[in-house]
Amino acid sequence: DQNSFDLFTEKLLYEAKIYFALLNYQDDLWKNEKDISEMLAEINYLNFEQHLPMFLSSYIKLFSTNKDKFKLLIKTYITFAVRRQIFMHKNPSEFEEQYSKWAVRIRQHPDKIDEIIAELKQEISKTGSITEQIKRGAEFKDKQSKYILWKVNDALSSTSLTKCWKNDPTLEHIIPKSPDTWWQTLITAKKINHEETVGRLGNLTLLGDKENSGLGNINYPDKLKKYTETKLPLNLETFKNINDFGLDEIKKREEIIAKIITDNHIWE
């Protein structure tokens, strides 16, 4: 009848509104929910999408009565997705069916949310060691490397002035992608395989757009001075006592980055 149709339409429009809010961290729905907005912004930055049915069910069934569980589900999902899709290089679509199953269970049994979060954490335990993956020299897409370094920097930062998130830093290659004579001489002398080295996390850092545009191919001592002048915690911490640069220093920086991730419980 007309009444049933109207109720159905109203429900559909309501869920569509929530769905689009989950895609937009700046939506009015999150105006007074800074932590949710920031987590959704993180997901948006990484272009993760498979979680949406699960988040929609969780919002509808839990937000008004158990907001903390809704937040915990988002946080746990981010940890899982980052570890699986970025660090393990897994295809996100491989897990899409499981997200849909969890979405249905939340709709039918919202009181089982603890069990679902526990199952998600169990999947996290299967993703292996982030620190070992970094130490082995795992490479990532530029956007992913930027994200990892941003999270590392902000875990060390005590002030918004030195946080990278929302300040839109650029990704800097210490050994340049297209080395000039100075860098080519260093690469040859240290027998560095440029192709296998230039994209490693230990060869990357973050800078403001203005600082990065002026660096180009300048030599390492001058670059080092510029890095530390930025006062970014990431640069102050990972360039300590690294007065020369080559594969050994790249590995040392990766160990430092891995330790910061472990010590600050990022993605745990």
Side-chain angles (χ1 to χ4, degrees):
D1 62 8
Q2 185 63 42
N3 189 47
S4 297
F5 178 77
D6 289 344
L7 287 172
F8 173 76
T9 304
E10 186 179 335
K11 179 184 176 186
L12 205 61
L13 289 172
Y14 170 71
E15 295 205 4
K17 178 184 175 184
I18 305 305
Y19 185 89
F20 285 111
L22 290 167
L23 287 167
N24 179 15
Y25 69 93
Q26 294 178 314
D27 192 277
D28 284 346
L29 197 63
W30 318 120
K31 188 162 53 177
N32 299 315
E33 304 291 348
K34 183 182 176 184
D35 46 355
I36 294 175
S37 175
E38 289 185 353
M39 288 190 289
L40 293 178
E42 205 167 315
I43 292 168
N44 177 263
Y45 177 84
L46 294 168
N47 298 317
F48 292 164
E49 295 179 345
Q50 283 70 24
H51 62 283
L52 285 165
M54 182 173 68
F55 281 17
L56 179 61
S57 294
S58 182
Y59 180 92
I60 290 166
K61 293 294 181 178
L62 295 168
F63 187 80
S64 61
T65 57
N66 205 338
K67 192 188 298 183
D68 287 344
K69 294 297 182 188
F70 176 69
K71 293 179 184 179
L72 182 57
L73 180 69
I74 298 175
K75 184 177 184 295
T76 309
Y77 162 78
I78 291 173
T79 297
F80 174 62
V82 166
R83 292 178 71 121
R84 192 173 191 278
Q85 292 171 221
I86 294 181
F87 286 98
M88 292 184 73
H89 305 291
K90 294 288 187 181
N91 187 330
S93 64
E94 293 173 358
F95 218 79
E96 196 164 5
E97 184 179 351
Q98 183 57 59
Y99 290 137
S100 296
K101 288 179 179 178
W102 279 329
V104 172
R105 280 175 61 195
I106 292 168
R107 290 261 185 177
Q108 296 174 344
H109 306 286
D111 57 313
K112 303 288 186 182
I113 187 63
D114 286 331
E115 291 180 12
I116 292 166
I117 291 172
E119 289 171 21
L120 192 48
K121 287 181 177 179
Q122 184 63 31
E123 293 296 334
I124 291 171
S125 71
K126 300 175 186 177
T127 57
S129 167
I130 288 177
T131 56
E132 289 305 313
Q133 288 160 333
I134 291 173
K135 288 178 185 178
R136 283 199 300 268
E139 291 192 30
F140 311 94
K141 295 176 182 176
D142 280 358
K143 191 171 188 178
Q144 295 172 340
S145 294
K146 186 175 171 181
Y147 167 78
I148 294 166
L149 294 174
W150 141 43
K151 292 290 285 186
V152 167
N153 179 82
D154 290 5
L156 296 170
S157 181
S158 58
T159 167
S160 61
L161 295 175
T162 56
K163 285 190 181 293
C164 288
W165 177 232
K166 295 188 178 177
N167 289 330
D168 196 25
T170 60
L171 193 65
E172 151 74 357
H173 291 74
I174 300 155
I175 296 176
K177 286 183 175 181
S178 302
D180 67 357
T181 303
W182 190 93
W183 281 102
Q184 194 58 62
T185 301
L186 179 141
I187 289 165
T188 302
K190 291 180 178 284
K191 299 179 180 178
I192 295 170
N193 184 320
H194 181 262
E195 187 178 341
E196 293 179 2
T197 303
V198 70
R200 287 180 61 152
L201 206 58
N203 187 54
L204 305 172
T205 194
L206 297 176
L207 291 172
D209 189 50
K210 183 179 177 182
E211 293 92 346
N212 202 356
S213 63
L215 285 184
N217 268 295
I218 67 173
N219 62 48
Y220 178 70
D222 289 341
K223 276 195 171 190
L224 178 61
K225 185 179 178 183
K226 295 289 185 183
Y227 296 156
T228 53
E229 281 175 356
T230 66
K231 303 298 182 185
L232 277 184
L234 170 70
N235 292 336
L236 294 176
E237 192 67 27
T238 63
F239 286 104
K240 278 182 182 176
N241 303 316
I242 298 186
N243 300 312
D244 191 13
F245 206 75
L247 187 56
D248 288 343
E249 288 75 22
I250 285 171
K251 290 178 178 177
K252 183 176 179 182
R253 285 192 76 239
E254 286 168 348
E255 288 179 5
I256 294 169
I257 289 166
K259 187 175 187 302
I260 293 168
I261 289 171
T262 301
D263 290 351
N264 290 276
H265 309 288
I266 306 173
W267 307 302
E268 284 185 11

